[in-house]
Each structure stands twice: as structure tokens, then as C-alpha cells.
Amino acid sequence: MTGIANLRELFTRNIRTSGIYIAFVLIIALFTVLTDGRLLSDRNLTTLVLQFSYILILAIGMVIIIIGGHIDLSVGSVVALTGAVAAVVVIRNGLPWWVGVLAALGTGLLVGAWQGFWVAYVGIPAFIVTLAGMLLFRGLTLDVLNNVSLSPFPAEYNSIATGFVPALLGGYGYDTFTLVIFAIGVLGFAYNSWRNRRARIEYKQTVEAPVLFVLKLVVVAAVVMWFAYNLATYRGLPAVLIVLAVLVLAYTLVTKHSVFGRHVYAIGGNLAAAQLSGVRVKRVNFWMFVNMGFLAAVAGIVFSARSDTAQPAAGNMFELDAIAACFIGGAAVTGGIGTVTGAMVGGLIMAVMSNGMSLMGIDQSTQQIVKGIVLLLAVAFDVWNKKRAAAAR
């Protein structure tokens, strides 16, 4: 028989996920008060999107790596290397901007294949391979750039990270096209939620009460359209937000509805069982790292385009921000658990904290301390949640 869950039951059952969203709302509310509302101004919301998009892109690949039971410490160096390759191709050699993009993506794929080979087919732990990669690719970055920064990129390249979609539908004081795109997204979310609910009912699984289901859709729609209105009244839809949305949608489908995604969860959840059930572990591990290299290259392009330069020190600490986003977003330290959506929420929590503290004039050292404590608490919550679940069995 189908069960109907109330709000308290839903919260208790999904405490890991619920806790993330509640923490996200509380952090936004806290910094909104502390910054006298500047955090949620239309200008600052656009800045948040532009400033932290590359961390969110890295978090998409990192959460897949973590779900598979691995870690990647080299993504910051790969961001620097791919940006450097693009700069050498475009700035130093004068080739078209899109050739630089292709060169950066190709470099990222080669880096991913290199690391995937050592992890999957040689059997060296990912921690060691990517630690070596962090040094190796940073050294290659210095060689490629001759230890000097290269700038500026052409305007077409910069527009990848700083451009906005033209106002195709006009508007009076706001961009109608931005509102239409977000409205389509809200309708898509509502349809997908309704379809999932109907499927759960057909399989006699517990679902939330109808009033809670409708309330959830209304709240999500209100928040999303409010965010869209703020973007629309400032400069419209950022191009990098479209890139990020496409990646989130594509990788959500891959992790939830593809054979590859199910195999990643199986390997991270129980490696022995996955091997016995016929999962080709080596191949899946290899492609996980190739995918991480590709997304690190995308992040490298976005970062170099936003900063309008390729620097030898680019990407420092990016790997830690991406890893923190995944763990704060609910990924399990031992693998097998995590979602792309959760990693995005975790990344946004990091972004809101960094941006909020910057608006308050807090120095970098204090910001690092706060973010470190938040990461520690997130992992402690994961450990406590596992013990609670084990005790309940």
C-alpha cells in the first residue's frame, strides 16, 4: 500500500539531504542580515554566478570521482595547465579563440586518460596518482608559460565566462528572455517531480502528502523566478550559467539513469559486489578520470576567460574547494553516496560564505578558518548519520 509521509517523516527519513538545504537557507539568511541585504542584490547575485562557476563545474566531476570511492587532488593544476595551453595557442601563436578551446579540452582529456590509466590499470591509489599529478601538471604549466603570465585573450574567448545572452525578447527594465528560460526550467522541474511521484505511487512507495508536494513546487518556483528576476533586471542571462545548467542536467541524467552512473555507485558502494556482478571496474574507473579531466579543462577555460589571463599560479586550492563542495553537499567519505545536485548546493554554500565574508571585509585567513570548520562539521555529520542509521537497523 502506498504510504503518505508528512513533513516530519520526510525530514527524518531524508535527514542527510534535508540538512543540506536547511543549512543553505540559514547561511543565506545569516549573511543577508550581516551584509545589510547586499548579498541578495541583483548585481551581487550575478557576481556569484560568474565568480564561482568554475568551482561548481569542478564539483560535478569531483562528486562522480568521490561516489566511485576515489579522490582527485590535481584538478587545480589541470585548470592552470589547460588555461595555459589555451593562452599559448590563442595569445602567443595568434590562432582563433575556438582552436584554443579545443586545445584546452584535448589537454584535459589527455590528462584524464593519463591518471585513469595509473589508477584503473596499474592499480595505484587515486590519492597518490593525483598527488603526483598535482605536482606534474603544475610543473608543466610553468614550462608552457615560461613562468610568466599571458594576456589578454580576445573578446570572443572572454565572453565564455563574462558574456551575457542578448535580450532576444526585449523587456521594460528587465530581460524577458531570461524570465522565459527560467520559467521553462521550472515547468520542467514540476513535470519531472510529478512523473517521479507517480512512478513511486505505482511501485507502492511512500510519497509526501499532496499538499506538501504542491507546497514544494510553489516554493521552488518562487525562489527560482525571484533569482531569475534579479538576473533579468541587472544584465540578463550569463553565458556561463547556460554552460553550467547544461552540465548539471546532463550529468544528473548520466548519474541517475545511465548504466555508467549505476556502475559508479556500485563500485563506490561495494567494490567486491560490483566485481562479482560483472561490472567492468577498470573501464569505469578509467572513464571517471577522463571525465574529470574534461570538466577540469572546461573549468580552466572559464577561469582563464574570466580572469583574462593565464597565470602559473592559477587554480591554487581549487581542488579543496571542489572536494569541500561535494562533502558539504552530502557525498559520503567512503563512496557510493552523493548527487550532482547535492554537490551544487554544497558549492553554493561555499560560494555564499566566501562572498558574504568578502562583503563584510573579513580577511582571507579568517575565511579559510571558517570554511575549514564548515567542512569538518559536514564530514562529522556524515559520520554521525551513518552511526545513527546503523543503530536503527
Side-chain angles (χ1 to χ4, degrees):
M1 181 178 175
T2 302
I4 302 296
N6 59 30
L7 188 60
R8 182 177 180 180
E9 290 169 340
L10 284 174
F11 175 77
T12 304
R13 191 186 312 120
N14 303 303
I15 189 168
R16 179 196 293 265
T17 306
S18 304
I20 297 167
Y21 291 107
I22 291 173
F24 185 41
V25 172
L26 291 177
I27 288 172
I28 290 177
L30 174 64
F31 281 104
T32 300
V33 173
L34 294 176
T35 59
D36 297 325
R38 285 180 293 162
L39 180 76
L40 297 182
S41 67
D42 52 3
R43 182 187 184 91
N44 194 58
L45 287 174
T46 302
T47 301
L48 266 174
V49 172
L50 300 179
Q51 194 171 356
F52 294 95
S53 55
Y54 39 87
I55 296 298
L56 297 179
I57 292 171
L58 287 175
I60 294 173
M62 187 65 76
V63 76
I64 295 174
I65 293 284
I66 291 173
I67 291 170
H70 303 292
I71 200 76
D72 192 335
L73 301 177
S74 68
V75 293
S77 298
V78 180
V79 165
L81 177 61
T82 52
V85 169
V88 168
V89 170
V90 177
I91 299 174
R92 188 176 292 168
N93 294 311
L95 294 173
W97 66 272
W98 56 268
V99 178
V101 169
L102 292 178
L105 293 176
T107 302
L109 290 171
L110 286 175
V111 166
W114 166 267
Q115 302 203 116
F117 167 76
W118 291 104
V119 173
Y121 294 106
V122 181
I124 300 176
F127 176 82
I128 302 299
V129 172
T130 57
L131 182 62
M134 180 172 67
L135 302 173
L136 170 63
F137 303 130
R138 183 65 64 185
L140 286 175
T141 303
L142 295 172
D143 282 343
V144 169
L145 292 175
N146 292 328
N147 207 15
V148 296
S149 299
L150 285 180
S151 66
F153 282 99
E156 295 88 347
Y157 189 90
N158 291 339
S159 64
I160 296 172
T162 60
F164 291 82
V165 177
L168 301 175
L169 302 178
Y172 299 95
Y174 56 86
D175 178 29
T176 306
F177 181 74
T178 300
L179 297 178
V180 170
I181 292 297
F182 274 86
I184 292 173
V186 169
L187 291 175
F189 172 77
Y191 172 72
N192 189 54
S193 299
W194 171 77
R195 197 177 66 168
N196 289 340
R197 176 184 170 84
R198 192 176 64 174
R200 292 178 69 88
I201 292 174
E202 288 177 356
Y203 284 101
K204 311 298 182 186
Q205 295 178 348
T206 302
V207 297
E208 65 267 57
V211 64
L212 290 177
F213 176 72
V214 174
L215 180 63
K216 179 183 74 174
L217 296 183
V218 170
V219 170
V220 170
V223 171
V224 170
M225 293 313 297
W226 169 83
F227 177 68
Y229 181 76
N230 277 276
L231 293 182
T233 54
Y234 184 55
R235 294 186 60 185
L237 187 61
V240 71
L241 188 58
I242 297 177
V243 174
L244 185 59
V246 169
L247 290 175
V248 170
L249 181 61
Y251 280 94
T252 298
L253 292 175
V254 166
T255 52
K256 286 189 174 181
H257 301 293
S258 74
V259 174
F260 176 78
R262 287 193 289 273
H263 285 177
V264 171
Y265 278 100
I267 291 171
N270 190 326
L271 178 59
Q275 289 172 321
L276 290 173
S277 60
V279 175
R280 305 179 74 168
V281 175
K282 291 181 179 178
R283 174 181 290 188
V284 174
N285 281 334
F286 176 79
W287 285 108
M288 272 194 279
F289 281 92
V290 172
N291 176 66
M292 185 70 254
F294 169 75
L295 288 174
V298 176
I301 293 167
V302 171
F303 181 72
S304 57
R306 172 167 170 73
S307 58
D308 195 23
T309 183
Q311 305 170 9
N316 271 336
M317 305 290 286
F318 282 12
E319 56 276 348
L320 299 185
D321 284 339
I323 292 169
C326 297
F327 287 136
I328 292 173
V333 179
T334 52
I337 296 175
T339 63
V340 172
T341 306
M344 294 300 97
V345 175
L348 290 173
I349 288 175
M350 297 284 289
V352 169
M353 286 195 305
S354 296
N355 183 261
M357 287 188 285
S358 296
L359 290 174
M360 295 169 62
I362 296 176
D363 56 64
Q364 283 294 323
S365 58
T366 306
Q367 291 190 27
Q368 296 297 332
I369 292 171
V370 172
K371 289 195 285 188
I373 291 174
V374 170
L375 175 60
L376 184 63
L377 291 176
V379 176
F381 177 75
D382 175 58
V383 173
W384 170 80
N385 196 43
K386 279 185 177 175
K387 290 181 178 177
R388 185 185 65 88
R393 289 173 189 160

